[in-house]
Every structure is written in C-alpha cells, then in structure tokens.
Amino acid sequence: MRKSPRIALAAAAAGALSTLGITAASADTTHVQAIRPAAHLDAGQFAPFVDMSNSAEGQLDAAITSHGVKTYTAAFTIGAGCNNIWGDTLPVGNDSNVDPEIAKAKAEGADVIISSGGASGEPLAFTCTDQSQIDAGYQKELTAYGTNSLDFDIEGAAVADTAGVARQMTAIKDLKASNSGLTASVTLPVMPTGLTADGVNVLKAAKAAGVKLDNVNIMTMDYGQGTGTDMGAAAISAGKATLAQMQSVDSGYTYANLGITPMIGVNDDGSTFSLADAASVASWAASNGVGRMSYWSVSRDQACSTAAKAQALADGGMDPARVMRPASSPVCSGVAQSPFAFTDALSNG
C-alpha cells in the first residue's frame, strides 16, 4: 500500500513492507455493537487485503468463518526479473506457506483476488520486458489458485514507469482475451483531491491499449496532511474526484468501477481512520454503487493487545521491532476496538 512497506520481501525484490499503526493510545472508542455477517456490500464487493507473508492464517480463517468474508485480496506477488514470486520469495504456485492458506480459504467458501506489486515490490510487468513471460507469469496465478480476478497495485516508482504501465495493460488485454470473465483491477495512490497525474496516466494507458479496467481501487490513506485529517470525509472526497478523472478518460466508467481501500486505524502519517469513518464511508459507498470496498489489512483488524503482539512474535517471520514499536505494527490497528470491528463496519454499508 501507499508510502509504507508491508510484507517482508527478498533483498533483491525490496525491503520489509508495512509501517502500520499500533498505538493503543490513539483511542477510537466507537465499537460495532454486534458481530454481523460480512457477505457483500449492497452495491458491490467486499474484499479486504490480507498480507500473505506475516503468518496471519488464524485471522483470515476467523474473518471467513465467523465474519462472513466471501472474497479477500491476497497480497502480494512481485516480479523478480521475469520470475513471479510471493513477497516471501517463494514461487507462485509453489509456496509452502501461501498455497495452503489460499486452498483452506477456498475450502471455507472464500474467493481470492491475487494482488501484485505493493509499496516495496513491483508487478511482473515492471521487472520483465518479455511480454510472453509476463503474460505467462500472471496466467500461472489464475491457474494455480483457481481464480479469475487479478489486482495490480502500482505505486512508488512503478506508477511513473510508462513502459512498465504499457506492458501491464497489454498483459491485461491478453489475459482477458484468453480467460473468459476475467476481472482486472489497478490499485493506485490517491489524495483527497483525486489521483496523481501519474495515476491518471495509468488510466490513459489502459484506454490506449483498448482495456476498460473493471475496478480502479484507490488507497485512501497516508495523505501526509497530519493528525487532524478527517479520514472518512477525505476518502469520500477522493472517491468523488477519482470518478470524475476516470470519466474524463472514458465516459463509460461509473462508481461500479471504483474501489475504496483505507488503512484501518492509525495511518503512517499519524492520522486515524476510525470505526466511525468506516461506517460513514461504507454507507456512502453502498448508496452510490461503489464496486469494491476493501481495507489494509485483515491481520490489523484487532486492538494492539499484548496477546496479539506476542502471537505475532511466536508465529515468527517478523522483525520484533516492527511488532512492538508504536505506529508500526502489521498485527493491530492502534485504536480501541473489538476483533474484526472494521470488517463488520466496512462490509455493511
């Protein structure tokens, strides 16, 4: 996601991902009163991001079996030259950690969207220039995990890489031609005023390639505007502005082609996306027919208890300093909440 690293990547691929909130003192005392099944938003799809490289299996299972999550976004596959790997450095289709997680979630009734890229990695189209190998790498994701939905998280240097963006759009066009019903989304950085100029250029590249994106998912987080930012209002403002930009490129886009992805709880810039913000954004999204609601990330949808941090350390694979340091944990939101309160709030617009 935008600005902050989130998953542990190989040194060749990038650094650790996820500087996320942990400070329990960032109090949000608004609680969802009852656990409700998540299902889907009235207007679209609810598909929260899951960091597949931080031992979050238990959280994903609970989200599916106890909170009704029917679709989730698995993050991240990344390019390493012309090889397509998961952020923990293991190959797509042969990852002893990720593959069983996805298989178990599927057995529990949840569909997966495979997301490529992220804050410190890049999708395969940006690390490989051989279009046939790019197409084959993405095709393997579809085949290995039995999905027909891909997301491309394009940020950092990648969003300004016009050659990489062009290869990405060619890949989407090729994949749609060979996979009936394939849905493809891009996840892009945003400000409350809308997409950056580079983000708009991604949309223009799609049109130039003859591709209409199924979803333009905006990261409504980390605006760098300080702790006083009203994050709910900012997300709604970003959504409205982005749709106008989308329609300036292709008048056929509607709110059904828009996605909203906040970072729940404390953001890296010190701002806080609260449970009240979640309720207001979900209500706005549902009433306007927004196509996808998501958030970063399922493993963070709990308060920063000693037990949560201890479990993260026991699971291994994470830097203890990241888990314990205020405003950086990948395993809790940094606000007062009941478990999965954001899941319940965001899925019930």
Side-chain angles (χ1 to χ4, degrees):
M1 288 288 153
R2 185 167 176 268
K3 290 189 178 177
S4 64
R6 295 170 298 184
I7 54 176
L9 298 174
L17 293 175
S18 208
T19 34
L20 302 174
I22 191 172
T23 311
S26 305
D28 172 6
T29 56
T30 305
H31 289 265
V32 173
Q33 296 301 313
I35 293 175
R36 298 167 294 180
H40 296 284
L41 287 169
D42 292 341
Q45 179 185 58
F46 178 60
F49 277 84
V50 178
D51 184 342
M52 303 304 290
S53 301
N54 77 347
S55 301
E57 298 94 331
Q59 284 287 98
L60 176 57
D61 288 343
I64 294 167
T65 60
S66 299
H67 293 263
V69 170
K70 299 300 183 186
T71 306
Y72 66 101
T73 306
F76 292 104
T77 65
I78 59 174
C82 286
N83 294 314
N84 206 21
I85 64 175
W86 283 99
D88 59 7
T89 77
L90 296 175
V92 166
N94 191 26
D95 188 314
S96 58
N97 297 311
V98 173
D99 291 12
E101 287 187 54
I102 292 177
K104 183 175 183 181
K106 185 175 183 179
E108 292 169 342
D111 295 326
V112 63
I113 300 168
I114 304 295
S115 184
S116 302
S120 296
E122 295 179 326
L124 184 62
F126 296 82
T127 65
C128 180
T129 59
D130 185 321
Q131 194 68 52
S132 64
Q133 292 192 64
I134 294 167
D135 292 359
Y138 292 143
Q139 182 64 51
K140 190 168 185 179
E141 295 180 4
L142 298 171
T143 303
Y145 302 114
T147 184
N148 211 23
S149 187
L150 298 178
D151 174 69
F152 304 97
D153 187 317
I154 306 170
E155 53 185 297
V159 75
D161 181 350
T162 56
V165 170
R167 290 191 296 270
Q168 184 62 74
M169 296 309 160
T170 297
I172 292 174
K173 183 177 182 178
D174 293 346
L175 291 164
K176 280 181 169 288
S178 57
N179 296 273
S180 177
L182 173 70
T183 62
S185 59
V186 293
T187 294
L188 297 171
V190 76
M191 294 296 288
T193 52
L195 297 171
T196 65
D198 288 328
V200 174
N201 286 337
V202 170
L203 305 185
K204 292 178 178 178
K207 185 175 183 179
V211 170
K212 183 174 181 181
L213 297 164
D214 296 286
N215 193 271
V216 177
N217 178 38
I218 54 174
M219 293 178 277
T220 56
M221 60 183 77
D222 283 339
Y223 303 117
Q225 297 181 339
T227 58
T229 303
D230 183 331
M231 294 297 281
I236 293 170
S237 174
K240 292 176 179 178
T242 298
L243 178 62
Q245 292 169 312
M246 292 164 63
Q247 291 178 332
S248 74
V249 174
D250 183 339
S251 62
Y253 283 122
T254 70
Y255 273 124
N257 303 111
L258 180 71
I260 304 289
T261 298
M263 181 184 292
I264 57 174
V266 179
N267 282 224
D268 305 306
D269 62 0
S271 59
T272 298
F273 185 85
S274 69
L275 284 165
D277 292 328
S280 66
V281 171
S283 177
W284 173 81
S287 63
N288 285 278
V290 169
R292 183 179 298 173
M293 176 62 70
S294 185
Y295 67 78
W296 183 266
S297 65
V298 166
S299 61
R300 301 187 74 240
D301 198 2
Q302 59 183 331
C304 293
S305 66
T306 301
K309 291 182 284 187
Q311 184 60 55
L313 293 173
D315 288 340
M318 280 185 275
D319 178 358
R322 283 181 62 226
V323 174
M324 305 304 291
R325 187 172 63 243
S328 68
S329 179
V331 297
C332 54
S333 67
V335 301
Q337 65 161 104
S338 54
F340 299 101
F342 283 97
T343 296
D344 297 331
L346 288 168
S347 63
N348 287 280

